Amino acid sequence: MGAAHGTPAARQRTTAVITAVLVTAFVIGILVVVSRAPGPGRDARAYPADRGTITLAGALGRAHVRIPDCLAGTLRYAVPGPSHDLYLLLGGSRPCLDRFITINTLTGEGTVSELPAWARDGRGEALGWRLDPSLGYTLYTGRPAPDHEVEALIRELSDGSGLQAYVRAT
């Protein structure tokens, strides 16, 4: 038996190494458990294309967009890319969509014959939106804050049951 293992200094070093290894293993174990713990869950209103890096409330706040209560239950949304653009699909009655237009100070630009770039370059399609300019969308625009823009394509549903709005907010 070697003399070094029996000395108090050697035993103290061995105890320190074992303690450090056990503490490290414990910390790693806790980090693994925490990283695999389920989060609050995905918002059911989010499109699959949504990155999930910001809540709907956070995205609305960042884009300076407000949603009236009458639309809150029907909306779908996504913040799909690194640009932080917010895409919303809203459906409701004319008074409810009029409230959305009013509280977001949007201005009607008239019926569009050509859709905005975001509605025809694949961004809307990635959300499952099939936007056809022949359906008679009215474009509404607004600038709720410097460097922020809202565009809404709104149309009446063919069955007359309400309106539908496709919104992009930057």
Side-chain angles (χ1 to χ4, degrees):
M1 177 163 138
H5 289 165
T7 68
R11 283 192 303 271
Q12 202 171 23
R13 280 192 300 274
T14 303
T15 301
V17 168
I18 291 172
T19 301
V21 168
L22 290 174
V23 167
T24 302
F26 179 73
V27 169
I28 289 172
I30 287 192
L31 291 174
V32 167
V33 168
V34 168
S35 71
R36 293 176 189 237
R42 182 167 181 82
D43 187 331
R45 298 169 297 178
Y47 282 104
D50 181 67
R51 289 183 307 163
T53 58
I54 187 169
T55 64
L56 174 60
L60 290 168
R62 184 173 55 203
H64 301 277
V65 172
R66 296 185 311 168
I67 303 294
D69 289 341
C70 58
L71 292 175
T74 64
L75 71 84
R76 298 285 314 271
Y77 77 95
V79 180
S83 68
H84 301 297
D85 290 354
L86 170 63
Y87 294 86
L88 296 164
L89 175 63
L90 307 169
S93 66
R94 181 169 299 281
C96 191
L97 264 294
D98 285 346
R99 175 111 176 94
F100 172 77
I101 290 165
T102 300
I103 65 174
N104 290 290
T105 61
L106 302 180
T107 303
E109 304 293 328
T111 303
V112 296
S113 57
E114 184 174 330
L115 299 173
W118 59 267
R120 56 184 156 77
D121 67 4
R123 288 180 271 180
E125 195 171 298
L127 302 173
W129 296 355
R130 304 287 181 251
L131 300 168
D132 178 355
S134 70
L135 294 177
Y137 297 98
T138 300
L139 177 64
Y140 290 84
T141 62
R143 298 191 66 75
D147 300 323
H148 292 276
E149 182 177 276
V150 177
E151 291 182 313
L153 291 168
I154 300 178
R155 72 176 184 96
E156 189 163 344
L157 296 174
S158 59
D159 64 4
S161 63
L163 301 174
Q164 194 165 46
Y166 298 88
V167 181
R168 175 180 169 253
T170 60

